[in-house]
Amino acid sequence: MASLDQPLLQSESQKLPKLSTGGHEVSSELETVLSNTQVPLVQRLRRATWIESKLLFHLAAPAVIVYMINYCMSMSTQIFAGHLGNLELAASSLGNNGIQIFAYGLMLGMGSAVETLCGQAYGANKYEMLGVYLQRSTILLGLTGVVLTILYIFSKPILLFLGQSEEIASAAAVFVYGLIPQIFAYAAVFPQQKFLQAQSIVAPSAYISVVTLGIHFLLSWVAVYKLGWGLIGSSLVLSLSWWIIVVAQYLYIVKSPRCRYTWDGFSMQAFSGLSEFFKLSAASAVMLCLEAWYNDFLVLLAGLLPNPEVALDSLSICMTISGWVFMVAVGFNAAASVRVSNELGAGNPKSASFSVVIVTSASFILSVVAAILVLALRNVISYAFTEGEVVAAAVSDLSPLLAITVILNGVQPVLSGVAVGCGWQAFVAYVNVGCYYFVGIPLGGLLGLYFNLGAKGIWSGMIGGTVLQTIILLWVTFRTDWNKEVEEASKRLVKWEDKKQPILN
């Protein structure tokens, strides 16, 4: 394995200082431990588990904080709106879970192309390419944001076409208009986060998110309660908070010495190869979008039920709680992607395989604990969002399904992170189509609408699709030939490596 002490560019080997070697040295130690057959298996596994756990939680803990806080900003916006009334709660829920999550899934999915390429390039010590991948992704996501803006502008007729009531669709559209600036914040923040995560730089994003959350709470309180801006005020503040994160992360990237070899400034090279980069981004987007949009159909189908306001309120509360646990799993997703892609790029098949086992086990254990807490607090958790007793009873009734979803969310996102680290996005997209859209949604619609089982029927059917998808990904992941994946990573880096171009800035 190439050491991180190896200079970045061979032609400049005498000019560039050496980088910090901590992560790669420990990673190399892990491969050595796993390969040493002279040591008893139990002793090797014990030592390897300790090494990998330190690497994993160094990445996962700050990443969990980042995603939890970012999610908390959206959830707190929903809470502020919910305390204005049940209509406002339903509107913000539909706007967040029905429209905004569409853009979130698309942009995050396209951004995961950076995760694959940057992670493997960093593991192979090809640092100069990370900044180029970051810029290409930002350009493509910005262009995608222009198209998504049209969707936001016409959100009301779209919701009416999908069967939502006039009152809820009108209120949701007002909320969505304030989220238009957030689209372009997504276009910048997701590539930035993937760029930093590939280098195991996650703590700065956590600090930025913590500070931004405090600002967001204050501004939301002022906009909603002091200035009386209602739904549009709450969503505009959410957009502003995301832009604060974008600016802060950009300043860190351009000023921090930790990024001095991976960020050279803006380059014309970013505009080359955009069509090929778009193909990889599109495959990544399809994979993650099909997952992110899956819950949209749960919300949209619930809007077709009798008394849709109660159904939407109860489901949105359950989805919000599920989202909390999902954000923990997304933190492990990021850690899994970084660990697997780095190890594959560095040529360490045993370490990559072992990382998958440790990260999946850790996330699963945490999700089981969270599911137990959900069941223990089933009768009171809704009061954090609304004071309605009818909604509280509905949430309590849905809590067993919420607990099952929480456990599944502890495994499935991690396996998706492994897929991103390996570059399997296209394959997983096919799996998602089959399990989610040919099994889960039809089954949910059949149980909920045809057999009149309501929200529980819709959710039960869609859980069935998630279970099938998780089983397939587990089967494929744990039957993977990791030596072959190392070879594929090497081929991918050769394909995507470019010659250096003049720096614009």
Side-chain angles (χ1 to χ4, degrees):
M1 168 185 147
S3 168
L4 201 58
D5 285 330
Q6 179 180 341
L8 303 182
L9 302 175
Q10 297 299 326
S11 61
E12 301 179 5
S13 59
Q14 303 302 318
K15 300 179 181 179
L16 297 179
K18 296 178 182 179
L19 298 177
S20 171
T21 62
H24 278 225
E25 283 183 348
V26 177
S27 174
S28 178
E29 180 187 1
L30 176 62
E31 188 73 11
T32 301
V33 169
L34 292 170
S35 302
N36 188 3
T37 57
Q38 297 181 351
V39 177
L41 177 61
V42 174
Q43 186 176 341
R44 272 186 287 155
L45 292 178
R46 185 186 303 114
R47 177 60 179 163
T49 299
W50 173 247
I51 295 172
E52 179 60 30
S53 296
K54 290 191 296 182
L55 288 170
L56 170 63
F57 285 97
H58 170 74
L59 290 169
V64 167
I65 293 173
V66 170
Y67 288 111
M68 287 280 284
I69 290 178
N70 291 346
Y71 182 77
C72 185
M73 288 196 302
S74 294
M75 188 198 71
S76 64
T77 297
Q78 194 168 316
I79 291 175
F80 274 108
H83 283 287
L84 294 173
N86 284 345
L87 174 62
E88 286 79 4
L89 175 60
S92 62
S93 300
L94 194 58
N96 260 328
N97 300 322
I99 299 293
Q100 181 261 353
I101 198 68
F102 179 92
Y104 182 92
L106 181 63
M107 303 295 250
L108 181 62
M110 293 185 70
S112 75
V114 180
E115 200 166 1
T116 301
L117 294 173
C118 283
Q120 295 184 0
Y122 189 77
N125 293 349
K126 297 183 178 182
Y127 308 112
E128 70 278 5
M129 291 308 303
L130 273 71
V132 175
Y133 296 148
L134 166 62
Q135 293 172 66
R136 284 180 183 166
S137 182
T138 304
I139 292 169
L140 287 175
L141 266 65
L143 295 174
T144 304
V146 175
V147 178
L148 286 174
T149 300
I150 300 174
L151 171 68
Y152 277 47
I153 292 173
F154 292 98
S155 57
K156 180 179 177 179
I158 290 173
L159 291 172
L160 290 174
F161 176 77
L162 294 173
Q164 304 304 310
S165 70
E166 173 78 24
E167 188 179 25
I168 292 178
S170 298
V174 171
F175 181 82
V176 167
Y177 295 153
L179 295 180
I180 290 176
Q182 185 189 45
I183 300 173
F184 298 95
Y186 285 163
V189 77
F190 291 142
Q192 288 175 348
Q193 288 179 349
K194 304 304 180 185
F195 168 85
L196 292 170
Q197 287 171 3
Q199 304 169 69
S200 299
I201 302 174
V202 283
S205 293
Y207 299 142
I208 291 169
S209 296
V210 169
V211 174
T212 304
L213 180 62
I215 297 173
H216 176 75
F217 281 153
L218 176 61
L219 294 180
S220 295
W221 177 75
V222 171
V224 175
Y225 295 122
K226 292 301 179 180
L227 299 179
W229 290 355
L231 284 173
I232 187 69
S234 63
S235 57
L236 282 173
V237 168
L238 182 59
S239 294
L240 175 61
S241 298
W242 276 90
W243 271 106
I244 292 173
I245 295 174
V246 170
V247 173
Q249 288 187 160
Y250 172 75
L251 291 176
Y252 179 85
I253 290 171
V254 299
K255 298 296 184 180
S256 173
R258 298 179 68 183
C259 301
R260 63 188 179 276
Y261 297 127
T262 54
W263 175 259
D264 288 333
F266 297 103
S267 170
M268 290 300 297
Q269 192 177 4
F271 294 93
S272 65
L274 285 177
S275 59
E276 287 298 317
F277 199 87
F278 174 76
K279 293 178 182 178
L280 180 61
S281 296
S284 301
V286 170
M287 184 197 84
L288 291 184
C289 282
L290 292 175
E291 296 177 4
W293 298 342
Y294 191 46
N295 286 334
D296 289 359
F297 284 93
L298 175 58
V299 175
L300 292 172
L301 287 175
L304 303 178
L305 294 171
N307 195 5
E309 188 172 304
V310 172
L312 282 172
D313 286 350
S314 59
L315 279 173
S316 67
I317 290 172
C318 289
M319 289 297 97
T320 300
I321 296 168
S322 174
W324 272 95
V325 181
F326 185 77
M327 288 302 107
V328 176
V330 169
F332 280 92
N333 168 293
S337 176
V338 171
R339 291 291 301 122
V340 171
S341 61
N342 283 176
E343 297 296 354
L344 292 180
N348 296 331
K350 291 184 174 63
S351 297
S353 176
F354 193 73
S355 295
V356 173
V357 175
I358 296 300
V359 69
T360 305
S361 300
S363 184
F364 174 74
I365 292 171
L366 290 176
S367 68
V368 170
V369 173
I372 294 173
L373 289 174
V374 163
L375 293 176
L377 301 173
R378 59 187 296 178
N379 294 319
V380 297
I381 51 179
S382 70
Y383 290 106
F385 301 86
T386 183
E387 298 175 0
E389 294 183 3
V390 175
V391 174
V395 170
S396 179
D397 192 42
L398 291 173
S399 291
L401 296 178
L402 174 59
I404 295 173
T405 301
V406 163
I407 293 175
L408 290 173
N409 282 349
V411 178
Q412 184 272 334
V414 175
L415 297 177
S416 294
V418 173
V420 170
C422 295
W424 297 343
Q425 289 96 322
F427 165 74
V428 178
Y430 288 119
V431 174
N432 290 350
V433 168
C435 295
Y436 289 163
Y437 297 89
F438 287 96
V439 177
I441 292 174
L443 183 59
L446 185 67
L447 293 175
L449 302 177
Y450 184 79
F451 288 103
N452 297 318
L453 296 179
K456 292 180 70 174
I458 295 173
W459 201 351
S460 297
M462 296 180 71
I463 284 176
T466 306
V467 169
L468 179 60
Q469 185 248 24
T470 302
I471 291 172
I472 292 174
L473 290 185
L474 280 170
W475 175 260
V476 171
T477 299
F478 289 102
R479 286 179 58 86
T480 296
D481 183 344
W482 293 99
N483 289 301
K484 182 179 179 181
E485 291 302 321
V486 167
E487 296 175 4
E488 292 297 321
S490 178
K491 294 177 183 177
R492 186 177 295 111
L493 291 174
V494 170
K495 174 183 177 181
W496 287 98
E497 186 174 11
D498 295 311
K499 295 181 180 179
K500 295 289 289 179
Q501 298 291 332
I503 301 300
L504 295 179
N505 183 17

